DNA sequence: TTCGCCAATATGAACGATCAAGTCACCTCT
DNA sequence: AGAGGTGACTTGATCGTTCATATTGGCGAA
């Protein structure tokens, strides 16, 4: 340890970095001086060996366009790296095909002591990963609620999807739309059910009909197109679509065009996740945007709390998404005079709602 | 070290893992048996401390839609993680805004001994990072040639962009297109000039005119649209566009539509990078796809060779991209009878060309 | 028999940090 | 004056490996 050239002991140098209050101000100055004079940084390996903590967080890398999430997880990874580094942590990534393989990597990384904890993404019904991690006593936070299980079993951070679709309905309603249809995933998917619920409750709250205005099927442009086409074939067409993904929304736009109608002008469409295509498509797609940067910060914050051991109970955080309004959602044609609901301003700031703790 | 319960010494266990040939087959069996009976994995930290090698590779995370690369770097990161893990390495990511910040992170990670080497992405003219790394004696490989400097200064792996645009021209020519225009970045960008050269040389080789068929400006849909519009205003319109990015290609499609023409049918368009939108757009966009998985494998291979110290000279590898033909590029209208060039089959396999070493 | 050599395994030291306990001077209280 | 406490450091041990070097036993050749 070269920094001992400051004329003090190893431990004093160590303290200068980790517990400055133990040093006399003048010694502290002297030590800190020689530290950055020599460009010294404590060895990651040695510190990890001694303290049994690596200051590294593991995170699975999911395919970019995974499940129609449209780059949400990419943004998350970026934000996660930033948030982690600002707290002195690094992020180690790995790419696996299945949850079981992911558990294999968890085991490897934990046994070798290569990471302190994990950020879990893409939680879903029947997810085996939380069970495994809990059984191993590993530290982790999930991005996504523990769908279909005890919400208090472990810490998680999630975005309120129901609020997102609710905002979309309110936005459309304010634009004079009464028949707002919903395109989503089939029942049984946590995220899908959540978003569906938001649409349904918002419609009910407005006293608007919901019956016959729902189509649910797998994600994808083709799927969205087929679902929208089916609803557009109804005697009384919907005047707007709220979709659970941007891909479905793009499909809806196609279906609208197929019938010679103008998306945005004749029939409005709102997507979800604000993927890169949303602002590239014509008409530019209105979409619900998740506060990913805030999610990442929260994830790191919660994980560090878990790692510190001070955290007793698992924490739960639900963050608010917001609507980005573009040309695909506009005033309902011929309805300008029949608006009965006062305009609801579209929220543009990142509002947070905090649960528990 | 619990595995000593096999009744042998630490070192023997160590050898079982690192130098099995030193052990008598029966001892090896016994040791390996207890190793996985106890689920033992060598401590990352201790090994790193002793051997001064962490088996971790650092890699900067670039924004998903960085510079119109349309997800290429995301694919690279995935492939990199896979390739690294298959060799017993892990990937540590960080997200920074500028090259200088990146150097800051390099310094931090190297000084702390948190990584063995780096993969450099997005190399460009006047890039200061290679200089810094070389001066520090750090190990690294670049994805991208050292534009505008000595190509032998350090190891790199790149994709032959000129070959990509050449393939695009040959493809269009085979479809009967004679006036194939080019939309690209302004002169001075390495990648841009490379792709331009491919178009230019291929056109020249076919004896086709190039003059007045070029527009070069910044990347983006709007930019591509404006450039294409300008060329479409010529007395004799081009019948096809080869673009240096998918975003520019989408712009070209817009410009074609603006004039009431049908992209793909009246005028063909080929993009570059095969970004996710390419197959989502209507018409689906033909695009040149980079062999990113092969690039990642090569990067890891080369970096490990550098790390092993056996590598004497920097290595240079140029890989071949291939064209993915879709509906945006079709037979030139009214030219079916005037095809003078024999059909060139579109390559669909990942061919590699190897330079040096 | 004796020596040397090799193969197989064991032992001590080191990597660079932190923890826990120790030293030492100085100060306060009785 | 002595006991006790406290602030500001220092010292020895330790984390779990691998390196370098030792030890051991067996075997072949002189």
């Amino acid at each position: 340890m070269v920094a001992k050239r400051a004329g003090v002991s190893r431990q004093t140098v160590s303290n200068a970095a980790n517990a400055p209050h133990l040093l006399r101000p003048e010694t502290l100055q002297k030590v800190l001086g020689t530290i950055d004079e020599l460009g010294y940084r404590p060895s990651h390996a040695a510190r990890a060996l001694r303290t049994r903590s690596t200051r590294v967080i593991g995170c699975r890398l999911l395919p970019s366009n995974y499940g129609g999430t449209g780059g949400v997880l990419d943004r998350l990874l970026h934000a996660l790296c930033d948030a982690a580094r600002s707290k002195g942590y690094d992020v180690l990534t790995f790419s696996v095909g299945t949850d079981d393989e992911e558990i294999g990597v968890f085991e490897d990384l934990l046994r070798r002591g290569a990471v302190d904890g994990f950020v879990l993404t893409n939680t879903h019904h029947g997810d085996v990963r939380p069970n495994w991690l809990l059984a191993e006593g590993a530290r982790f936070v999930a991005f996504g609620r523990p769908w279909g299980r005890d919400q208090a079993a472990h810490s998680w951070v999630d975005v309120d999807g129901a609020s997102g679709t609710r905002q979309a309905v309110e936005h459309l309603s304010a634009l004079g739309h009464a028949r707002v249809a919903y395109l989503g995933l089939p029942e049984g998917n946590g995220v899908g059910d959540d978003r569906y619920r938001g649409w349904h409750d918002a419609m009910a709250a407005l006293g608007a009909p919901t019956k016959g205005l729902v189509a649910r099927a797998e994600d994808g442009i083709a799927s969205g197109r087929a679902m929208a086409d089916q609803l557009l074939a109804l005697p009384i067409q919907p005047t707007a679509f709220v979709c659970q993904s941007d891909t479905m929304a793009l499909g809806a736009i196609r279906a609208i065009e197929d019938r010679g109608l103008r998306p945005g002008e004749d029939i409005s469409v709102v997507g979800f996740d604000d993927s890169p295509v949303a602002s590239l498509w014509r008409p530019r797609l209105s979409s619900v945007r998740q506060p990913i940067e805030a999610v990442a910060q929260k994830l790191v914050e919660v994980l560090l709390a878990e790692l510190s051991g001070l955290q007793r109970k698992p924490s739960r955080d639900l963050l608010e998404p917001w609507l980005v309004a573009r040309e695909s959602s506009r005033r309902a044609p011929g309805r300008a005079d029949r608006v009965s609901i006062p305009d609801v301003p579209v929220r543009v700031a990142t509002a947070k709602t905090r649960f528990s703790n």
Side-chain angles (χ1 to χ4, degrees), chain A residues 140-142 144 151-157 302 306 311 313-316:
Chain A
F140 70 102
V141 205
Q151 297 218 339
H154 61 80
S155 293
W156 53 264
V157 176
V302 171
E306 299 262 340
Q311 186 76 12
K313 294 182 183 175
S315 72
R316 296 140 57 196

Side-chain angles (χ1 to χ4, degrees), chain A residues 54-112:
Chain A
T54 61
R55 308 200 129 228
V56 173
I57 298 169
C59 183
R60 171 180 181 180
L61 219 53
L62 282 159
S64 297
N65 20 14
Y66 184 85
T69 52
V72 164
L73 292 171
D74 282 325
R75 282 171 60 209
L76 180 70
L77 183 60
H78 278 267
L80 212 51
C81 285
D82 277 339
R85 181 149 270 271
S86 76
K87 303 265 185 185
Y89 276 69
D90 280 311
V91 174
L92 186 150
T93 53
F94 50 89
S95 164
V96 290
T98 68
D99 285 356
D100 286 334
E101 281 172 36
E102 185 169 359
I103 289 179
V105 177
F106 286 163
E107 180 159 22
D108 180 53
L109 293 176
L110 286 173
R111 282 243 154 69
R112 299 201 340 241

